[in-house]
Amino acid sequence: MRKWSGYLWKLGWLVGLIILTIIVFNIENQIQRHVADTFDATYMYWSKPIIALIYGLYISLILVRKWTINLNPSLFWCVFIPNIVLAFAVPLWSFVLKIEIPSNNIAITIYTWLNRMYTSNLFGIIAGSSLILSIFNCATKSRAHK
């Protein structure tokens, strides 16, 4: 039975990914209906990075080999924190823009750049996966340190 446990774990992970995708698809449909009814895209701005973060968390679960908490501070501070900030930059900036319209071109240029990066959802996926990998210290160690 031990021989098959690795296969069962990975098949269970795949089934969980399919279930997660179905749940996310239904949530996105409900959000799109709400946005179409109310003409308020705030929920859509916030749902994209949250969903990307959840996918990143889930995808990284398959990479964890040892389930003991052993924080990797460099991965946490240098990868997770910048990516989580960039993942939620557009929703936060959009909230600020509702309050105050920027008068300089630099702020508009930064918002345009962030909005282009936001559409890929890459920052949220990397933030989620780097969080799990930094908590369980799954980073590979170089041979020089062994």
Side-chain angles (χ1 to χ4, degrees), residues 68-81:
T68 56
I69 295 176
N70 186 13
L71 188 66
N72 183 341
S74 63
L75 187 61
F76 182 81
W77 290 107
C78 297
V79 180
F80 169 71
I81 296 296

Side-chain angles (χ1 to χ4, degrees), residues 79-140:
V79 180
F80 169 71
I81 296 296
N83 278 292
I84 197 76
V85 168
L86 289 171
F88 287 98
V90 169
L92 289 172
W93 199 301
S94 297
F95 178 72
V96 170
L97 285 179
K98 284 183 180 179
I99 298 170
E100 177 182 333
I101 298 173
S103 58
N104 57 9
N105 288 335
I106 294 172
I108 295 171
T109 304
I110 291 171
Y111 178 75
T112 305
W113 179 80
L114 285 173
N115 205 10
R116 286 183 188 157
M117 301 307 286
Y118 170 80
T119 57
S120 70
N121 295 329
L122 190 61
F123 292 122
I125 293 171
I126 292 173
S129 60
S130 64
L131 177 62
I132 292 293
L133 297 178
S134 69
I135 289 173
F136 295 107
N137 200 3
C138 297
T140 59

Side-chain angles (χ1 to χ4, degrees), residues 1 31 42 54 65 82 94 125 128 138:
M1 183 64 183
I31 290 171
T42 305
I54 291 170
R65 296 185 189 276
S94 297
I125 293 171
C138 297

